[in-house]
């Protein structure tokens, strides 16, 4: 399953990652490559926790659905498996 992520970078900070379809799932990395790798681990652990708690795992929505949100403006989008 491919989850859309949005990556933000403020001057002097690491790359921050948000997974809009998994509330509370965040990650970061010093480089863009590291941020992408860490986001995959964060998604896996988040889904694992949801399943352990017998919660439903939200299905990913399209990037198009998320881009209109003010919370994700100026971010770079990617898909993570």
């Amino acid at each position: 399953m491919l989850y859309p992520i949005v990556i933000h970078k403020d001057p002097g900070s690491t790359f921050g990652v948000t997974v809009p379809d998994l509330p509370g799932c965040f990650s970061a990395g010093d480089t863009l490559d590291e941020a992408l790798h860490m986001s995959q681990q964060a998604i896996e652990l988040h889904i694992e926790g949801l399943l352990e708690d017998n919660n439903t795992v939200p299905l990913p929505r399209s990037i198009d659905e998320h881009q209109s949100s003010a919370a994700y403006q100026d971010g770079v989008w990617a898909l993570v498996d």
Side-chain angles (χ1 to χ4, degrees):
M1 215 178 304
L2 296 174
Y3 278 91
I5 63 168
V6 63
I7 304 163
H8 290 278
K9 174 83 167 81
D10 292 326
S13 73
T14 61
F15 291 88
V17 177
T18 302
V19 186
D21 292 310
L22 299 172
C25 186
F26 303 98
S27 187
D30 290 330
T31 66
L32 186 55
D33 289 340
E34 185 179 84
L36 290 168
H37 178 73
M38 297 302 290
S39 66
Q40 184 178 26
Q41 288 183 346
I43 290 170
E44 290 172 359
L45 290 172
H46 194 88
I47 290 174
E48 201 174 286
L50 289 171
L51 294 173
E52 286 176 4
D53 292 340
N54 295 314
N55 291 319
T56 303
V57 176
L59 294 175
R61 294 178 289 160
S62 71
I63 291 173
D64 289 338
E65 291 180 65
H66 293 297
Q67 282 183 316
S68 62
S69 172
Y72 308 126
Q73 297 301 307
D74 301 324
V76 174
W77 290 90
L79 294 171
V80 175
D81 188 18

